[in-house]
Amino acid sequence: MKPYLIALACSVLISESSIAQRAVLSAATRGFLAVDTPLVALTHVTVIDGTGAPARDDQTIILRDGRIESVGPSGRIAVPSSAQVLDLKGHTVIPGFVALHEHTYLGGINHPAPMMHSALLYLASGVTTAMTAGSMLPYSELNIKRMVDAGSLPGPRMHIAGPYLTGPRPEPGPFRIITSADDATRVVNHWADEGATWFKILSGPAAVVRAVVSAAHARGLKVTAHLCAVTFTDGAQMGVDALQHGFITNSEYVPGKQPDVCPRENQRAQADVDPTTPAVRESIRRIVAGGAAVVSTLGTYEAFSLTRARIDTAELAMLTPLLRREVEETHATLARSAFIVPDRLLTRMMQWERLFVAAGGLLGAGSDPWGTGFMPGDGNQRNYELLIEAGFTSPTAVQIMTSNGARILGEHARTGSIEPGKAADLVVLRGSLAANPGVIRNVRIVFRDGYGYDPAKLRNEVRGKLGAH
Ligand SMILES: [Zn+2]
């Protein structure tokens, strides 16, 4: 059978499966498209397909009705005569990012500002699927998701987490304090009925982790956690599906860690822990054996490094004037922050993630934009560069940010790699990504469900508005 016939057979099979049809876009959303035809051929591209396979040069990808119909060497893939052909010699095509620690509010500043426009920024940077990791404004997020699903707002496909869930705390705050297993079930069921598909735990204690995991899993939903009072090993054993942040938040490395107590000044103690020691390797083995994935968020911690934190005026220009002043103030006073991340700690975080992957762990990535000038979309691109700095190869870093994320979300049948039958979620980059990690920022077109969005149009729309309703 010729390759295109095999691809056709695959696409027929997949179209009969449960994959949903793509949304019909509103006229306003269509205004952001650069490519708006149901049959498209991307020819002569370098493909990094998200599976971890090496880059392949001179490939052709056929997109039809929102799906990838076929991909292969340009000489062997038949281009249908009615296709819109984009000759993309000199470009790299990767799957759209599947990002696992996203927010549609900007926190860590004076007030949680809603960011409807973050959906556009994420998409413009190549994020085609996003999970929010804890909501301060859950109804705002659910409404953004509904608008995106309806085609009336450009954005990634979204998984929305319910509000932050935690144990008893002395201070009031934008989180739900869980008091019992029955309470956890009530809260989880409420937010599951409202549309949440993930739950986010902050810190612990163990009773809260167990209760939330049990209630969420009973609904077929998943749990992610920024742990502290509970260690990663224990969290994995309790069934947490995705542990956020990696080495820096694994309190089992803090000397004298007491059960159900979050040790103070984690980051200083962590900076003195060598991840290559047998004890740390053994903890990684136990986390992997427990089946928990880990979400890398190197960029958001780099934003707390006195030597490395950067502020990008092109990104700040996206914010409303009020938010921009707040972010600039946060950045200017970083040296007085209680949360400085020493550079050697960032290095240890990178080492730990390499060891986790080498031990067979499933590593995804997310940005965690947090009011430091580290922005939605831009932050995801920065994570790619930091994964390369950590020593991952280009195909592995792409895999972490795409198909691994899709596996963690349970979306791998639909997206996360460039394979026939999957959604046409693709990022077209100018240049050779394998040769230069900075090419991750040269986004020319972002396809989501086969609609080709123009990143410049999306960013122009956002400018000056991020942080307003
Ligand atoms: Zn976060």
Side-chain angles (χ1 to χ4, degrees), residues 23 25-26 28-36 120 123-124 128 148 151-156 424 426 428 443-458:
L25 304 185
S26 69
T29 302
R30 285 205 118 89
F32 294 99
L33 297 180
V35 180
D36 187 14
L120 283 71
L123 192 62
T128 52
V148 171
S152 59
L153 182 74
L426 305 167
V428 179
V443 181
R444 178 165 161 193
I445 310 168
V446 179
F447 285 94
R448 205 210 115 180
D449 284 331
Y451 295 116
Y453 291 86
D454 179 340
K457 287 183 184 171
L458 291 166

Side-chain angles (χ1 to χ4, degrees), residues 423-452:
D425 296 345
L426 305 167
V427 189
V428 179
L429 302 165
R430 248 182 242 101
S432 167
L433 184 65
N436 174 12
V439 163
I440 202 75
R441 297 174 182 283
N442 301 348
V443 181
R444 178 165 161 193
I445 310 168
V446 179
F447 285 94
R448 205 210 115 180
D449 284 331
Y451 295 116

Side-chain angles (χ1 to χ4, degrees), residues 294-313:
V294 168
V295 179
S296 170
T297 62
L298 293 169
T300 199
Y301 289 98
E302 183 191 43
F304 290 95
S305 155
L306 287 177
T307 58
R308 298 174 56 124
R310 69 202 179 101
I311 199 142
D312 181 335
T313 49

Side-chain angles (χ1 to χ4, degrees), residues 101 103 105 133 164 200 245 368 370:
H101 192 134
H103 292 303
Y105 70 87
Y164 294 89
K200 168 79 179 283
H245 307 306
D368 197 10
W370 188 243

